Amino acid sequence: MKNQDQRHHQPPADPLARATPGAAQPIRVLVLDDEELVRTLTKRTLSAAGCLVETAAEGRQGLQILLQRGFDVLVVDLRMQGMDGLAFLQEALKIWPWLGVVIISGFLDDQSLAQLRTLGVHRALEKPLNMTALLEEIQAEARAKRAQVDASTAGAPDRAQNQLSVLRSIGEMAITSESLVEALRGLGAGLGRLLPSSVVGILNLERGNNVLLLNCQEPVAEAFLERMQRDMLQHYVSLSGHPLSETALRLQREGEKPDPHGAQAAQSMFTVPIIVSGQLRGLLNLASSKANAFTAPDISFLYHAANQLSTVLVALSHTRELAIRDALTGVYNRGHLEEELDHAWKMAERYSYRMGVAMMDIDHFKQLNDTHGHPAGDQILREFAQLVQRVARASDVVGRYGGDEFVAILSKIEEGAVQVFGERLLRAVRQHVFCESTLRLHLTCSLGIASNLGLEPPRDIPQLWQQTDYALYAAKRGGRNRSCVWSPELVRQQEAPPPPAPASPAEPAPGPGSAEVRGRILVVDDDELVGRFITRALEMDGCAVTAELSATAAKARLEQQPGHYDVIFIDLIIAHESGLELLQYLESKDRFLIKVMMTGYATADNAITSLRHGAYDFVQKPLSREQLIAVVDRALTYKKLLHDNARYQLHLEDMVREKSAALAEAFERIKQSYEFTLEALVAMLDARERTTGQHSQRARKLALILGREIGLTPAQLDDLGHGALLHDIGKSGIPDTILLNANTLTPEQKRSIERHPEIGYNIVCASPYLEKAAEIVFSHHERWDGCGYPRGLKGQDIPLGARIFSVIDAYDAMRSSRSYAEIRRNAGAQFDPAVVEAFLRCQVFIEQSGEWDA
């Protein structure tokens, strides 16, 4: 679709604004040619003439460069490998219509020239190139475009300021919306009211929630909307190089309903990329049924809208994450799980692929909570959630359904994949040590799994949930620590008595003759009579006792039932094995197992060695029943103290974590709100001066680069950033008749202008948070030689932040091929020599990072 009207108007003020009217600036040129020799010679020639040149070998690479940096003129070969020159220009000029273009080609004919004229391109040179002629054409094209800018942006500041105010209101409304779709709906409707558009399109790409919204401001035909939707997706693919399927999008239409008698196609269309953290996150697209619908100020405002939209989408993403995530485990909550399942079910129905749902819980979790306390239970849930996420694929959706029940939605799976998922999770849980630094628990889990395909497949989502629940219940009845896939046979087994479940590591098995176990005791002694005596004596006291005749057998039992025993009695010498070696082995395995050494050959050395190896007590055989009971009582009391201490430690850690997270989140919200307010305020001020926010933002970015080169601390960098952003805030107190005067200022008007640092200081220093930034604002026009204003400070008396910023501010204003020499020449007069040296060291990085869109 041709975009005739925009190419005869000029770009937004963001890309074309100048910090200093009339200042000489180098022409920024992007050369596209698939011949390396042509690229090299052209770059060398144009650079020698003072141009800033980058090159690309084909159109798609050129689009990627345009997304990151601004240019004045494109030099384009028509025939290239990959995306050719014509296709590149068709895409680029829809988004950057203010760019000047010079064509270079060895295949210019009437048809090619006619196609170029429809794009508004009128300058073309044949190969082989005359470099002098090419330079003249580039300079003429740059002058023509800049002249159009000056003519088309007259009177724009007041309108821009009003639009910015309305845009801020729309942004605030969007941030308070309850959902992403509602926010995009409000943004689309608001932009449609501000600009002369028939349809506003917003494409927002976010993992798991890609949305394309079309907001109709007037009735248009279905063909209009389908074409606009198709064009937006094609634009995204051209810019990103990544395919985007309509099946991965949530399509949303708002506003007026389609009318078969309405406009069939857009006559004017403009697209702006939405960039978040340097990444293409979507598109903002306006289409009108009228030709020449958008003016240059409209396009300028669209770039503000795109920047605002990026900020809003980041805030919405953060808010949405908070709304759909389980606060304890960080996985999705039940509400979002149900939304995702609804989407997965519909996609599986539409495209006839297999999907499954796995519901899982931790075996004996209630007993774990009762035994070890809720802080330990919370830690177990967090670790279990991490294990499920680790086992699941990146495309799977994992969430907490409630309590200790978790759900995984498995989309686009092969037959048998659900069983594989279950086995992997069971294995991962068995091998994991929960609360490793405190309780060191070995736990198990159970899974129930159902699929949309198979014998008696579910009719709908409620039945799928029911089948999954049946399968989980069957796994519990089958003895836990297993997975079960739903089948019709499970329903018939519901009435059958369940098999006896084995004792859980977290739940003791009842001892003989006792409904409640005092403690679980393991005895390791090669004398069978000793084992029998201790077993009989302690069972009479309500303990559950197991006896083993060797250290090897004891290790095997402890491996089978980790965490099951409370106290272990170990003979110092067990046949040909050493009780001390077993003691040392146990110390690294279970810190909550209380170890008691016993021997018939007690010596002080044996006792000390045993205690050093981790024994809690040391007793001499033969033992009386009363002595055994007293030792066990002490050991169980000590174990309870260890558990209480670990539980208290977990509780403290949990409290500290929660408080720290809450404080960090609150601080971050306050900081973001503060920064947003400052940036909005500066954008308003810069719009008044026709620089639309980019000068102040860019000055902050470059000042921070120079500050890091000099070695400022993080706190000093924060002050420098705020001072650079707010450096011209005092101009809000200067009348428009003076500030926007394009003629030579009178001495009185000049004195009025020179008051803006002091006015800015008085505004900024009212905030204790910005006291040091206020000093930068006050001093940014001081000179190293003392000839600056407003206070005439000299040398080191000027704050370091102001000395740094003055170099950046001057460079941004005078930026040209001679600017480096000019900065160096003024070292020791206008600028701090040390700061200038640092600037020259990093000037290449500063140039690359400046993103001057002039």
Side-chain angles (χ1 to χ4, degrees), residues 56 143 147 156 213 296 365 449 488 497 554 654 675 772:
R143 283 194 301 271
L213 179 137
F365 183 73
I449 303 171
D654 206 45
E675 293 289 340
K772 294 182 179 178

Side-chain angles (χ1 to χ4, degrees), residues 175-334:
I175 289 176
T176 58
S177 300
E178 294 184 0
S179 68
L180 177 65
V181 172
E182 181 184 338
L184 294 179
R185 181 186 300 134
L187 287 165
L191 291 173
R193 290 193 301 272
L194 283 171
L195 296 172
S197 56
S198 303
V199 182
V200 177
I202 300 177
L203 174 64
N204 179 55
L205 303 178
E206 182 181 337
R207 184 180 179 275
N209 194 33
N210 298 334
V211 178
L212 174 58
L213 179 137
L214 299 178
N215 190 291
C216 300
Q217 303 298 306
E218 61 185 47
V220 296
E222 183 69 29
F224 187 115
L225 298 174
E226 291 177 354
R227 178 66 179 274
M228 183 174 178
Q229 177 179 315
R230 188 166 59 252
D231 282 353
M232 289 185 69
L233 297 182
Q234 288 175 352
H235 288 169
Y236 174 79
V237 173
S238 296
L239 292 172
S240 68
H242 304 299
L244 182 61
S245 170
E246 290 189 25
T247 60
L249 280 174
R250 178 175 180 177
L251 303 175
Q252 191 81 16
R253 289 185 179 179
E254 302 291 340
E256 299 288 340
K257 293 183 178 179
D259 182 355
H261 302 294
Q264 299 295 314
Q267 299 301 312
S268 304
M269 184 178 291
F270 191 76
T271 303
V272 179
I274 299 172
I275 308 294
V276 177
S277 301
Q279 300 295 320
L280 181 65
R281 278 279 300 273
L283 300 172
L284 175 59
N285 187 289
L286 266 70
S288 175
S289 58
K290 300 176 182 177
N292 304 321
F294 305 117
T295 65
D298 291 333
I299 300 173
S300 173
F301 174 69
L302 270 180
Y303 271 80
H304 277 295
N307 291 334
Q308 179 86 345
L309 191 56
S310 298
T311 303
V312 169
L313 291 176
V314 170
L316 280 172
S317 177
H318 179 66
T319 303
R320 183 172 179 273
E321 282 295 301
L322 293 176
I324 65 177
R325 295 283 179 179
D326 175 59
L328 176 64
T329 61
V331 297
Y332 291 122
N333 58 25
R334 178 170 177 169

